[in-house]
Amino acid sequence: MDPQASRIGQNLRDVLQAVKAELAMEIAANLREACPVDTGNARAHILPGLEGQFMDEGGDYDAGVAAVIGAPPEAELVVTCNVPYWPKLIMGSSSQAPAGFDLIAIDAAVQTVQDRHEGLSIDVTGSETISARGAGAAAGLAGAYSPLGGDE
């Protein structure tokens, strides 16, 4: 392989990895800011990291940051909140934040990172989780406004 092409490829991989880490950190920061607070437990458990890193137990935010920053290019970066009531929070159980505050925070993070990097376009529409949440919310709204008042 041409050495110049190899250097260009490596530079591109390095830039993409840095942008991945930047996006994960921006999402974590936005979610922490948007998260409703009663005891602070949910906010404290919003953690950036590597796939599987903090999925079952609590973690350390600083350890998650270090893992994201030092992640190899092939690593799956995630932002997780493993409190059992997180699904209820994001569906609007708290009067402090609307349903979908997490999606709003993610969209804002994507826009912020795109704005920092001229010409960058980040597509998050392929997420199965987001698609399932959207479909569930649409079904819930349809049921709430159904003249029959149910799942019809």
Side-chain angles (χ1 to χ4, degrees):
M1 178 182 239
D2 178 1
Q4 184 177 8
S6 182
R7 283 192 305 275
I8 291 170
Q10 185 58 52
N11 287 343
L12 181 57
R13 285 187 290 280
D14 292 346
V15 167
L16 290 174
Q17 181 58 24
V19 170
K20 276 178 36 178
E22 183 181 348
L23 180 60
M25 298 307 303
E26 193 70 36
I27 289 170
N30 285 4
L31 285 173
R32 283 176 158 239
E33 179 68 27
C35 183
V37 176
D38 180 17
T39 65
N41 188 52
R43 180 177 282 177
H45 283 84
I46 297 171
L47 305 167
L50 305 180
E51 180 69 36
Q53 185 179 18
F54 301 125
M55 297 304 180
D56 295 323
E57 70 283 338
D60 178 280
Y61 187 81
D62 293 336
V65 170
V68 165
I69 291 171
E74 68 278 358
E76 286 281 328
L77 304 183
V78 298
V79 177
T80 187
C81 184
N82 58 8
V83 297
Y85 53 91
W86 181 252
K88 289 180 182 177
L89 279 178
I90 62 176
M91 294 306 282
S93 68
S94 172
S95 62
Q96 296 177 22
F101 73 85
D102 60 322
L103 301 178
I104 294 166
I106 292 167
D107 285 345
V110 167
Q111 188 62 55
T112 297
V113 172
Q114 287 180 154
D115 290 348
R116 285 184 195 142
H117 302 276
E118 186 178 333
L120 177 66
S121 177
I122 301 170
D123 181 7
V124 294
T125 59
S127 169
E128 291 177 23
T129 302
I130 300 295
S131 297
R133 285 255 326 274
L141 283 172
Y145 292 102
S146 168
L148 303 175
D151 292 331
E152 291 81 17

